[in-house]
């Protein structure tokens, strides 16, 4: 498999599917994976027809995180290697987090380390009932990447974030749901179909409005009450100018299912 094939992007009827496709390497993150992911996301940004994004992975593992074999081979230049890889990877995560379409992430196997960032950028996280989630950074004498220090306190609270990132707590699927990391636990054999159904449901929805909600929720943690009211006001006006809002209002008054056009 070429490095470029480690991440695959397909778009079908408005649903983009971004897939980690290096199962033999447990979808580990090395420079080739970082580059492939960046290239796929750059292509994604150019797809005007995209109305929702599904992130998934091939194989038994969603991703084991950073490729420790690669890092061991560069142990004498570890700081330089980490700085380069994480800078590029974080730029891609930032882009994914700022997409104006809803994002679903389907986690079929273990997810660890920086790969958890792909869960943090999602609006809906579906996990198989066999999943394990771990940070694992303290064992490597590393502080962590992928946005976990930002996302976890917001999702689970400070004390649980400390348990996970400092205490090395490993979560199973039920705990991930109870903590608020997972949106839903799905039998492993049903995950792919359930994720595709959810992705298509969102892609068929009012994606202008959903994109506005996504941005509002992302800003809410650092906004004041007055600032958030102002942002909601502006977002509602933008939605009101869309064909979908007109369709939604008319369909409701006519007691029929709306047919949204999306972006």
């Amino acid at each position: 498999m070429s490095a470029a094939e480690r991440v695959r992007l397909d778009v079908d009827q408005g649903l983009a599917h971004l897939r980690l496709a290096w199962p033999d390497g447990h979808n580990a993150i090395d420079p080739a994976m970082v580059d492939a992911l960046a290239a796929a996301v750059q292509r994604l940004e150019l797809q005007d027809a995209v109305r929702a994004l599904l992130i998934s992975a091939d194989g038994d593992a969603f991703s084991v995180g950073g490729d420790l074999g690669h890092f061991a081979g560069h142990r004498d230049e570890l700081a330089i290697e980490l700085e380069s890889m994480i800078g590029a990877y974080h730029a891609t995560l930032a882009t994914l987090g700022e997409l104006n379409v809803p994002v679903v992430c389907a986690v079929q196997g273990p997810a660890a380390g920086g790969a958890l960032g792909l869960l943090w950028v999602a609006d809906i996280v579906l996990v198989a009932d066999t999943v394990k989630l771990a940070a694992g950074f303290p064992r490597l004498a590393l502080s962590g990447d992928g946005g976990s220090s930002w996302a976890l306190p917001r999702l689970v609270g400070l004390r649980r974030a400390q348990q996970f990132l400092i205490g090395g707590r490993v979560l199973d699927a039920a705990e991930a749901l109870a903590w608020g990391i997972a949106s839903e636990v799905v039998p492993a054999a049903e995950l792919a179909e359930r994720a595709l159904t959810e992705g298509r449901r969102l892609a068929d929805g009012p994606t202008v409005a959903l994109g506005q909600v996504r941005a509002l929720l992302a800003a809410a943690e650092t906004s004041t009450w007055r600032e958030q009211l102002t942002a909601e006001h502006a977002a509602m006006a933008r939605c009101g100018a869309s064909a979908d809002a007109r369709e939604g209002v008319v369909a409701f008054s006519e007691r029929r299912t709306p047919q949204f056009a999306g972006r």
Side-chain angles (χ1 to χ4, degrees):
M1 171 184 290
S2 70
E5 293 177 320
R6 290 190 184 183
V7 177
R8 295 178 181 169
L9 176 67
D10 301 297
V11 180
D12 180 31
Q13 297 180 339
L15 177 62
H17 191 175
L18 184 71
R19 195 167 81 251
L20 306 184
W22 189 31
D24 290 346
H26 305 293
N27 296 312
I29 301 173
D30 65 358
M33 179 65 86
V34 169
D35 289 346
L37 187 60
V41 172
Q42 287 168 7
R43 294 197 305 275
L44 173 66
E45 285 190 285
L46 299 176
Q47 300 277 346
D48 291 336
V50 170
R51 299 178 58 179
L53 171 64
L54 170 60
I55 300 172
S56 69
D58 294 343
D60 296 331
F62 179 80
S63 173
V64 294
D67 187 340
L68 299 186
H70 174 79
F71 292 141
H74 293 77
R75 56 187 173 273
D76 294 332
E77 309 88 26
L78 187 57
I80 296 172
E81 195 67 15
L82 287 170
E83 183 174 0
S84 174
M85 277 183 55
I86 293 172
Y89 180 51
H90 280 190
T92 296
L93 290 179
T95 298
L96 287 171
E98 293 170 355
L99 291 176
N100 61 355
V101 298
V103 179
V104 178
C105 185
V107 186
Q108 89 290 5
L116 293 168
L118 295 170
L119 280 65
W120 310 149
V121 302
D123 304 294
I124 296 175
V125 176
L126 306 175
V127 301
D129 51 7
T130 54
V131 153
K132 299 286 186 183
L133 305 180
F137 296 115
R139 292 183 60 187
L140 305 172
L142 296 172
S143 54
D145 65 331
S148 290
S149 64
W150 187 94
L152 276 167
R154 290 162 170 78
L155 288 169
V156 307
L158 178 60
R159 287 296 180 231
R160 281 181 165 175
Q162 289 166 328
Q163 278 186 284
F164 191 74
L165 294 175
I166 296 176
R169 178 78 173 265
V170 177
L171 302 180
D172 61 22
E175 290 170 322
L177 180 65
W179 278 32
I181 291 174
S183 308
E184 183 181 337
V185 177
V186 181
E190 301 172 14
L191 179 67
E193 182 179 352
R194 175 72 185 91
L196 188 59
T197 297
E198 187 65 14
R200 293 215 174 280
R201 183 185 71 82
L202 291 172
D204 289 340
T207 50
V208 172
L210 296 179
Q212 292 297 311
V213 174
R214 191 167 201 261
L216 286 168
L217 291 174
E221 187 73 21
T222 55
S223 295
T224 66
W225 172 243
R226 185 176 295 275
E227 288 168 342
Q228 197 69 5
L229 288 173
T230 299
E232 286 186 359
H233 179 189
M236 284 289 276
R238 285 191 287 271
C239 290
S242 71
D244 278 352
R246 294 190 291 276
E247 166 65 5
V249 169
V250 172
F252 185 85
S253 66
E254 295 177 351
R255 298 184 180 181
R256 61 174 173 82
T257 301
Q259 300 296 315
F260 296 120
R263 295 173 63 184

